[in-house]
């Protein structure tokens, strides 16, 4: 039994949520990117979380990790903007499939999950400190 | 010395439950993850066996369930995850308070023994 497994679980959650926040930031930053290294406009990215068993005994304790950063294949947005350098013959520009509102909602969810994990970490720490106080004074 | 043992059990079970609740919160956004909990009350009853001096006394025989992990069944969201993060944080706070109560009681118990030994 790993005494500090609970701290590792919180740390794994903090790490996963932070990486998710990076992906969201990249989506938000590229909301108008019509050119990428792979060619074509930017495609929205999303993280895939998976639980990972950290300890089996005496109870299953599961942390979390990011197993994949998936590309969103939903259709791109087309905007009429004849003056844009990447506009086609009819004057339409293919814009990334990033929805700013959706990204904002995801960002808030990541933030809440991060905050919850920080509280868990602090509660665990308080519990450890209390345990060390047994038999003092 | 019995109360030492029961307090030890209380601290141990709240500690285990804390780990389970931490897993739930860590996996609040993991697809297909199901919230877990431990049948804390039964587990505790099992350890706090009443000492009986007669068959007619109340006892908790027959209460043999061990610390079983309960997996929540209901699906709330499309991603098959059923963790309600606010509920989990509330449970964790309650659990941590119980843990601290156990520690405080243990401390005052030790204090009592110490002052008895000093006389």
């Amino acid at each position: 039994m790993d005494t500090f497994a609970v701290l590792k679980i919180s740390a794994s959650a903090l790490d996963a949520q932070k990486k998710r926040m990076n992906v969201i930031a990249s989506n938000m930053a590229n909301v108008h990117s019509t050119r990428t290294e792979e060619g074509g406009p930017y495609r929205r990215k999303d993280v895939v979380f998976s639980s990972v068993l950290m300890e089996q005994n005496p109870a299953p304790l599961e942390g979390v990790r990011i197993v994949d950063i998936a590309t969103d294949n939903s259709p791109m947005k087309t905007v009429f903007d004849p003056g844009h350098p990447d506009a086609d013959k009819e004057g339409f520009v293919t814009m990334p499939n990033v929805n700013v509102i959706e990204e904002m909602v995801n960002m808030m969810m990541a933030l809440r999950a991060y905050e919850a994990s920080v509280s868990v970490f602090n509660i665990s720490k308080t519990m450890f400190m209390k345990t060390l106080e047994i038999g003092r004074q | 010395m019995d109360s030492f043992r029961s307090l030890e059990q209380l601290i141990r079970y709240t500690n285990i439950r804390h780990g389970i609740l931490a897993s739930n919160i860590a996996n609040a956004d993991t697809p297909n993850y199901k919230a877990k909990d431990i049948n804390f009350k039964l587990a505790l009853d099992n350890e706090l066996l009443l000492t009986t001096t007669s068959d007619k006394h109340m006892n908790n025989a027959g209460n043999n369930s061990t610390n079983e992990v309960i997996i929540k069944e209901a699906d709330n969201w499309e991603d098959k995850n059923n963790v309600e993060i606010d509920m989990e944080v509330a449970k964790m706070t309650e659990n941590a308070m119980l843990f601290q109560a156990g520690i405080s009681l243990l401390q005052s118990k030790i204090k009592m023994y110490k002052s008895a030994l000093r006389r």
Side-chain angles (χ1 to χ4, degrees):
Chain A
M1 183 184 165
D2 185 358
T3 319
F4 298 104
V6 68
L7 295 180
K8 285 180 191 154
I9 289 170
S10 297
S12 77
L14 293 175
D15 183 50
Q17 297 297 345
K18 191 163 263 180
K19 281 182 182 147
R20 182 190 187 188
M21 201 65 122
N22 285 343
V23 171
I24 295 168
S26 141
N27 287 342
M28 291 276 252
N30 287 293
V31 69
H32 290 128
S33 304
T34 50
R35 291 175 201 181
T36 53
E37 282 176 21
E38 306 90 61
Y42 177 84
R43 279 195 176 273
R44 185 179 163 266
K45 309 265 187 308
D46 209 348
V47 293
V48 183
F49 286 148
S50 167
S51 62
V52 45
L53 195 68
M54 290 200 165
E55 199 182 297
Q56 186 58 61
N57 253 331
L61 300 184
E62 286 163 275
V64 65
R65 71 191 163 109
I66 289 178
V67 282
D68 190 20
I69 295 179
T71 309
D72 186 344
N73 285 320
S74 61
M76 298 287 194
K77 278 185 286 189
T78 34
V79 182
F80 183 69
D81 186 2
H84 197 284
D86 289 321
D88 61 8
K89 284 190 279 321
E90 282 89 40
F92 286 100
V93 187
T94 312
M95 283 291 187
N97 54 352
V98 177
N99 180 349
V100 179
I101 297 165
E102 197 187 325
E103 297 306 321
M104 285 299 287
V105 170
N106 278 336
M107 197 172 81
M108 280 163 74
M109 280 172 69
L111 181 65
R112 293 287 169 263
Y114 192 88
E115 281 171 358
S117 291
V118 171
S119 324
V120 171
F121 195 94
N122 284 333
I123 292 174
S124 312
K125 202 183 83 183
T126 316
M127 281 168 70
F128 279 124
M129 296 314 286
K130 277 276 168 193
T131 316
L132 293 176
E133 276 174 30
I134 298 174
R136 274 214 195 140
Q137 88 212 213
Chain B
M1 300 299 263
D2 259 4
S3 64
F4 271 118
R5 206 176 70 95
S6 34
L7 284 172
E8 188 213 316
Q9 296 300 341
L10 173 71
I11 292 163
R12 181 184 294 165
Y13 283 115
T14 45
N15 201 13
I16 293 170
R17 189 169 185 230
H18 180 75
I20 293 172
L21 297 176
S23 307
N24 288 347
I25 294 171
N27 287 288
D29 291 319
T30 310
N32 298 317
Y33 181 86
K34 300 281 180 236
K36 293 177 187 66
D37 204 346
I38 193 165
N39 203 342
F40 178 67
K41 200 178 168 296
L42 280 180
L44 193 66
D45 282 350
N46 221 20
E47 297 299 334
L48 294 174
L49 288 175
L50 296 176
T51 318
T52 52
T53 47
S54 157
D55 286 346
K56 288 179 182 131
H57 287 170
M58 189 174 87
N59 64 43
N60 23 14
N63 194 354
N64 288 326
S65 48
T66 47
N67 46 338
E68 47 177 335
V69 174
I70 306 160
I71 299 169
K72 201 171 140 193
E73 291 296 337
D75 282 340
N76 299 359
W77 304 102
E78 282 174 31
D79 64 356
K80 305 269 182 242
N81 180 309
N82 62 3
V83 178
E84 290 168 282
I85 200 158
D86 315 75
M87 287 298 292
E88 299 300 328
V89 174
K91 276 189 210 166
M92 178 169 273
T93 312
E94 184 196 330
N95 188 61
M97 283 169 79
L98 201 54
F99 176 90
Q100 298 201 4
I103 299 278
S104 304
L105 287 170
L106 196 58
Q107 272 180 315
S108 47
K109 196 87 191 162
I110 292 169
K111 221 170 164 181
M112 276 162 67
Y113 275 95
K114 273 186 175 171
S115 60
L117 288 169
R118 226 175 278 134
R119 303 284 159 234

